[in-house]
Amino acid sequence: MFIFFGTRASLIKSKQIQGNFECSYCQNNTFNVSIYGRYFHVFWIPIFPLYKSTYLECTHCKKTYNLYETPENFREQLKKDNETAPPKRPLWHSFGGLVFLLIVTIIILSSTMNSF
Ligand SMILES: [Zn+2]
């Protein structure tokens, strides 16, 4: 029997931002900031959320940057922006884990009800 499991990611927040640095390829300073939420899945059913990752894309030449490739002051700016409007994960990222907890709760409740 095959069990398909692993991690997947989905976009949870996207925003265009004026950076305080320039794209190394085209010297443009406007970027699309995309925050992805990664989750663990079994048979493509999300079980529990993992970490978030942030990527930047130059709006002109579409070159992508990891967050660690950007200057320190830009990361500070992005961190402050995320504190005022934090990127929230959708509830379905932990759907499988919630269903599992619900089933365990029902089993525990039904076993204690039967003992009376
Ligand atoms: Zn560019």
Side-chain angles (χ1 to χ4, degrees):
M1 187 182 140
F2 289 100
I3 297 176
F4 292 98
F5 68 97
T7 63
R8 301 191 74 182
S10 75
L11 183 68
I12 53 176
K13 187 180 177 185
S14 184
K15 185 182 181 183
Q16 200 170 76
I17 198 164
Q18 195 84 19
N20 50 11
F21 70 102
E22 291 180 337
C23 170
S24 62
Y25 189 73
C26 72
Q27 282 73 47
N28 178 33
N29 70 343
T30 310
F31 300 91
N32 279 326
V33 178
S34 302
I35 300 173
Y36 289 87
R38 192 159 280 280
Y39 56 87
F40 180 78
H41 74 88
V42 176
F43 288 107
W44 302 278
I45 299 169
I47 304 297
F48 56 84
L50 298 170
Y51 55 91
K52 294 174 192 166
S53 47
T54 306
Y55 298 98
L56 277 78
E57 183 190 61
C58 174
T59 54
H60 183 72
C61 71
K62 307 294 182 198
K63 180 174 170 41
T64 39
Y65 296 90
N66 265 315
L67 197 59
Y68 63 80
E69 293 175 287
T70 60
E72 181 68 37
N73 54 2
F74 179 74
R75 278 178 272 172
E76 293 289 321
Q77 178 191 344
L78 203 63
K79 193 177 173 185
K80 279 180 190 164
D81 186 59
N82 283 341
E83 281 170 0
T84 54
K88 289 184 177 175
R89 293 175 177 279
L91 193 60
W92 63 264
H93 273 196
S94 50
F95 175 76
L98 292 174
V99 168
F100 178 75
L101 280 177
L102 185 71
I103 290 170
V104 167
T105 306
I106 289 171
I107 289 170
I108 290 171
L109 283 177
S110 66
S111 66
T112 54
M113 295 290 246
N114 289 341
S115 64
F116 289 113

